[in-house]
Every structure is written in C-alpha cells, then in structure tokens.
Amino acid sequence: MRIKAALSLVVITLTCISPGHLLAAETNTQDLAELSAISNPNDPCFGGCAPYGVPWHFEAIGAPEAWEITNGSSDVTIAVVDTGIDDQHPDLVGRITRIPGCGLGQTNQYSTSHGTFIAGLIGASANNSLSTVGLDWNAQILDVRVMNGSNGRTSDIAAGIKCAAVHGADIITLSFVQQGSQLSPVLQQAISEAQDAGVLVIAAAGNDGYERQRFPAAAEGVLSVGAVAQSLDIASFSTRGSWIDLMAPGEGLLSLGAGQSNGVRLGQGSSFAAPVVAAGASLVKARFPYFDATQISNQLVRTAKTHISQVSSSQYRILDVEQALKQPYRSHWQVTETGQVIALGESEHFGDLTTRPLIRNVTAIAANLTGLGYWLAQTNGAVTAFGEARDLGDLSTMTLNKPIVDMATTPSGNGYWLVASDGGIFSFGDAQFHGSTGAMTLNKPIVDMASTPSGNGYWLVA
C-alpha cells in the first residue's frame, strides 16, 4: 500500500520558466495598428499594445496566412489538462467548457495563471476589441484542472486525461514534466487509453536545457514540443534533442493573465510552445475533419520548416501552420493526352494545357514536394510548370530519337527525370544521371519510371 501511495504523489513540474517571468499589464486600445489583411483580427494587442510590441509568434508560424484558410471549428475540442482556467477573463467568456467530475473542478484557492495563459494562446476570443487573440478562434476549450497551483498527483492527472478522452476531446495538451527517466505506469496507461480513443496527445518537452528525454513528452505516440526564441534558435532554457518532434515559439509570448489583472502577460517556457502546437493541430482538424490523430501529427511534422541553429548547427523542425493547412496530405491528379488535369481527393487544380490548341501528346504528370504544384511532360520533351512547381528546363528545342513516355521527381522536389521509350534518361534541376538503356536493344519499349526514396537511383519499366 505504501508503494501505491508513492506512485500517486506528484513528480510534476510546470514547464513555464517561473511566475516571475509573467509580467502583467492592461491592454491599451489606443495602440491598435491599422491592419490591412482581412484575416487580421481587431484585438488591440495583435498589433502591439503598451508596454509590449507586436507578438512575434503569429508571423513566425504563418498564422495570418492560415486564418485566410480557416479560423477553426467549434466541432473540435482541445482539453487543457493543467492548473485550471480563469473562465471569467473577458477574452475567454464563452470559450471554456467543463465536465462535472472531470478533474478537480474550479478553485479560488490556487493560481490558475498557468492554465489561463495556455488557454489564451489557444483560443483568446478574436475580433472583440479586447486584449489579444488565440490561434484558433472557434475550437472548444475543455478545462480539466488536475493541479493545485504547481503541484499535482499522478493519479489525478491520469484521471483527467482519461476523462477528457471519454468526453470527446480531439486534442489533449500537457504542459508539465515528470521527474525521473521513465514514465509513470499510471500516466502511461492514461495516455494509451486516450490514444486508443483517437485523441492526439501533445506534451511540452521541458525546460532543463539538456537533451535528455523527459516524460510524458517522450512517451510513445505523444507529439513532443520544444521551444524556440524569436531568432528561431532553440530557446536557451528549452529541452532539446533529436527525440523532440516539433519546435514552436515559447519565449516572450503574449497571452492572458488571470485574477485581478484580467489583461495580458508575457510568459516563456515549453509549457507555452505545446499549446501553440495544439491550436495548430485544431486548425488542421478543422481544415481536414476526416484526419485522425496520427494524420494530424504527421501533417504538422512533415510541413514544418526545417531550421539549422546558428548557435549549435543542430537541425530541427518549427511549426508552420500555413503550410500544414495548405499542403494536401494526399495528392493525386490525372492528365489526359490533350493536357487536361483532373484534381482528385485533396489535390487542387493549378492549371493545364487545355487552352493551347492542337496538343495531343501529353504523356506524364508529376507533383512537386509540397503538392502545391506539378509538371506536365509532352512526348516531344516539353515540360510545363504549374502552381508552385519551378521551371527547371526541358527538351523542347532538341530532336529526340524516341518520344518521352514518363517523368519522375527527386525527393527534394527540385528536380526531375524524363525517360524516352528507348530508355534514354534526361536530368533536370538536382536530378542526377544514374544510367540508361538508350544504347541497348530492348525487347519492349520503356513505358514507366520511378525514383528510389533516396533519389540516388531509379527504375525503368518496359
């Protein structure tokens, strides 16, 4: 019985820097800048309010461009399993929900500033001319208080995670770390049950500045998040390492204060990078409502910006909400020999050759890396780029021995190969020549080609 009691004691540390780094201030509506983009909200601190400048994290993750696509959906629920949320803050009125028996309930005895700051980053109300704005303007925020201030019991946290999953949370964000090198079995079970229910669990990586794995962020299937500074280098306090899935703004962030200030505060910590990613995830869910948790996580990671630190030369991925909403998860097009492109699934139509008369020789289509552009190849070697695909050259000025029958792109999307029916290979951009059958006598003509995953080879099919 003593062992069980020990496991339920809290070994949890909130992953903001310290309450001393949360600076309170009232909003100043006179500092509202005139914003031309229709997606920009009228909340005064979005444009900068005294004594603070313009919040930097919105531009860093492509928020204004993302808002042109979606502001979020009320059908998506993000559970904040934390210290509780001040639902009386004017910028959170109507945004917070609670489930009786889910967590420890409301409190007047303990500070809710940590959870309120998180809720503001996720969903402070937009276009109400108050304080600041969250990344997702419509998602439901489920308040699951599991801590008394900065202290909590693993049993309470585990129960809160399970309860959030049972009551329909799509995303759970966790901004604490457990002491020790292994995840508590109690928390592991709760996270596994949430994942089995289809919930995406996101967790802060910690603030020790080292590369060691911290839990629950390092748990299987959890989307782990570290913090970057405005320079986009890893914040000096942030836990780091190749085990972390994604980095997001976590230093000098502006969000909501709790209690008497009812204004805005500055805060920093991976505690606050994690909910930025959670709100990004909810926008992805709104954009692609049929995505499951794994697809949302994969979309965020694969569309993130690759950044190389100027300090350590380490490479990591930074959240890019704009690209997460723009890039199709599954892209597929069909093309006719007259150059008509048919977009299927999530693919977009970026143009085709149907307006050009007498074209009867289109033979291949290939997408660029992002799925936001493609190339059409003709049998005479002409290549036409559409959307974000770059013009990398073609064979239209050459006399070919045999017609072009297919094309393939390099893994980077910055090059392609053309193959002729005799197996002749022509390389463009960063595509490298690895051999051909152009000088061989074939029993049958080449009809298809495919690149290896590394781009260091290709297959020809007769």
Side-chain angles (χ1 to χ4, degrees), residues 40 72 87 105 111 122 155 207 228 245 277 315 331 340-341 366 384 407 409 413 421 429 453 459:
N40 287 350
D87 63 352
S111 171
I122 293 171
S155 57
N207 296 326
V228 294
D245 297 310
V277 172
Q315 182 173 294
S331 57
Q340 179 185 4
V341 173
T384 308
M407 72 185 306
T409 58
S421 62
W459 295 277

Side-chain angles (χ1 to χ4, degrees), residues 83-93 96 98 106 112-113 115-117 119 143 256-262:
T83 66
I85 299 169
D86 180 6
D87 63 352
Q88 296 305 303
H89 191 293
D91 227 7
L92 290 175
V93 172
I96 309 302
R98 295 189 180 92
Q106 293 177 261
T112 60
S113 61
T116 301
F117 197 93
D143 178 17
L256 304 181
Q260 294 182 347
S261 85
N262 271 344

Side-chain angles (χ1 to χ4, degrees), residues 335 361-366 375-379 404-408 418:
V335 64
N361 64 344
V362 175
T363 188
I365 185 171
W375 295 274
L376 299 184
Q378 298 171 245
T379 56
I404 298 298
V405 294
D406 199 15
M407 72 185 306
L418 299 178

Side-chain angles (χ1 to χ4, degrees), residues 97-335:
T97 61
R98 295 189 180 92
I99 304 294
C102 206
L104 302 176
Q106 293 177 261
T107 179
N108 294 320
Q109 183 178 358
Y110 299 101
S111 171
T112 60
S113 61
H114 192 261
T116 301
F117 197 93
I118 288 170
L121 289 169
I122 293 171
S125 297
N127 293 315
N128 61 355
S129 299
L130 292 175
S131 59
T132 186
V133 63
L135 182 56
D136 188 313
W137 301 356
N138 295 300
Q140 297 293 313
I141 301 174
L142 177 60
D143 178 17
V144 183
R145 186 176 75 86
V146 296
M147 296 184 183
N148 293 322
S150 60
N151 297 313
R153 297 166 59 94
T154 52
S155 57
D156 291 334
I157 295 170
I161 292 171
K162 292 180 181 181
C163 192
V166 168
H167 287 91
D170 299 287
I171 299 156
I172 293 175
T173 183
L174 307 174
S175 289
F176 55 82
V177 294
Q178 177 188 293
Q179 294 177 2
S181 59
Q182 292 184 328
L183 180 62
S184 158
V186 176
L187 284 181
Q188 178 63 73
Q189 179 64 28
I191 290 171
S192 296
E193 289 185 19
Q195 292 169 334
D196 289 344
V199 180
L200 173 59
V201 180
I202 299 172
N207 296 326
D208 61 15
Y210 298 111
E211 295 190 5
R212 61 172 175 162
Q213 291 187 345
R214 301 304 303 268
F215 292 93
E220 182 70 26
V222 172
L223 183 61
S224 53
V225 182
V228 294
Q230 188 168 357
S231 65
L232 300 186
D233 280 333
I234 298 175
S236 60
F237 55 80
S238 179
T239 304
R240 59 206 63 204
S242 59
W243 66 273
I244 296 177
D245 297 310
L246 205 56
M247 308 298 286
E251 184 175 86
L253 298 184
L254 187 73
S255 187
L256 304 181
Q260 294 182 347
S261 85
N262 271 344
V264 295
R265 300 174 184 262
L266 286 180
Q268 58 187 26
S270 63
S271 266
F272 306 139
V276 172
V277 172
S282 66
L283 290 181
V284 171
K285 181 67 173 178
R287 171 73 174 85
F288 306 108
Y290 43 87
F291 274 17
D292 61 24
T294 299
Q295 289 173 312
I296 295 171
S297 180
N298 289 344
Q299 182 76 347
L300 291 172
V301 173
R302 79 175 187 88
T303 61
K305 293 175 287 193
T306 300
H307 188 80
I308 299 176
S309 171
Q310 298 179 2
V311 177
S312 65
S313 298
S314 60
Q315 182 173 294
Y316 44 88
R317 293 177 176 271
I318 301 175
L319 175 70
D320 188 334
V321 181
E322 176 192 2
Q323 291 303 314
L325 300 184
K326 280 186 175 180
Q327 293 187 25
Y329 191 77
R330 296 178 293 262
S331 57
H332 182 65
W333 297 267
Q334 292 180 348
V335 64

